[in-house]
Amino acid sequence: MNLNDVLDMLTGVFSSKVAVEKGRFGLQAGLDHLSFRTSEMVSSWQSSNPIRNERHPRLPQRRINSAGSIKSVTDTEQTLFDLALRYRGGAIQKPRMKPGAISFVGFAGMRLIDASLDMDVSFKDDVTFEGILSSRKLQRHIEAEAGETWHNTWMQPLVGMNTTVALGEDWQAFLAMDAGGFGLNGKQDLSGTVEAGLAYALGNSAQISLAYRYFGIEYSAHNGRNGYSSTQNGVSMGFRWLFD
């Protein structure tokens, strides 16, 4: 989808990460929230069919006309909370680093996922009869609505890494990857992130970053009846604040 379509669908979005470090060990946490609404006309139809009188074929013909549509509205919410212990190898990451300096962080912890889908389906069918009927004219209007909600909260083991390479005093390239799930909480249970980009120093304490990010979830319950699948990818812009 293009950016305009995404912005029209979005009803909420938030993403942040924070980390503290003492020596080479540390703790990090992340929170990502996404909610959006989609509305779609699934089907529409029009038909007009004659009704024949087999006993009295000379009587005027009658006709049944039908026009209808099915519309669905889906609200989706997805929230992830990551908490992990981390260990750093190499240089301490700062907005300004010596060219060629490398910082590597490996981490392990847990990921909590809360996901919900709420679908409302409205069905409308207008039926009219034309011609001479025993009841003169018969009109029938049928309206029906249906709804279905799926909600699940589950926890995944999480492992990952991120590395930073100083291209110059102010410029850095970074790569971050993580994976969670590994099929422990369902018939299928896996999530993962890959992000690569560049960061530029704003003074001695801040950076701006531009990256490409991919995130995906594949989940199905042990019974195989209920499942959830989501993929998101695109350009991300960020702000980093680092301090001693």
Side-chain angles (χ1 to χ4, degrees), residues 40-47 66-73 119-127 140-147:
E40 183 179 4
M41 186 69 72
V42 178
S43 178
S44 61
W45 66 87
Q46 288 186 344
S47 63
S66 177
S69 62
I70 299 175
K71 182 180 180 181
S72 68
V73 178
M119 175 177 283
D120 291 319
V121 179
S122 60
F123 171 83
K124 186 176 181 180
D125 191 15
D126 292 319
V127 180
R140 202 166 82 183
H141 179 67
I142 302 173
E143 288 187 353
E145 293 186 358

Side-chain angles (χ1 to χ4, degrees), residues 194-205:
V194 178
E195 184 175 18
L198 296 172
Y200 178 76
L202 299 175
N204 294 319
S205 299

Side-chain angles (χ1 to χ4, degrees), residues 93-97 169-170 172 200-208 239-244:
Q93 186 183 356
K94 296 182 178 181
R96 285 194 169 99
M97 300 172 66
E169 186 178 359
D170 295 329
Q172 299 173 8
Y200 178 76
L202 299 175
N204 294 319
S205 299
Q207 288 179 318
I208 56 173
F239 175 79
R240 298 176 174 183
W241 183 36
L242 300 96
F243 57 92
D244 294 329

Side-chain angles (χ1 to χ4, degrees), residues 12-92:
V13 60
F14 178 80
S15 178
S16 69
K17 289 181 174 64
V18 62
V20 294
E21 186 177 284
K22 184 175 179 59
R24 293 187 177 275
F25 290 91
L27 183 69
Q28 68 181 47
L31 179 64
D32 289 273
H33 173 77
L34 174 67
S35 61
F36 58 92
R37 166 173 286 198
T38 58
S39 179
E40 183 179 4
M41 186 69 72
V42 178
S43 178
S44 61
W45 66 87
Q46 288 186 344
S47 63
S48 181
N49 300 291
I51 302 175
R52 301 185 182 277
N53 192 322
E54 299 295 340
R55 293 185 177 182
H56 305 283
R58 295 185 179 182
L59 290 178
Q61 290 187 358
R62 298 166 294 174
R63 183 174 292 273
I64 181 172
N65 302 313
S66 177
S69 62
I70 299 175
K71 182 180 180 181
S72 68
V73 178
T74 303
D75 290 295
T76 304
E77 288 195 14
Q78 176 183 290
T79 302
L80 285 80
F81 175 71
D82 294 346
L83 184 64
L85 295 172
R86 52 183 266 159
Y87 178 81
R88 175 180 54 82
I92 298 175

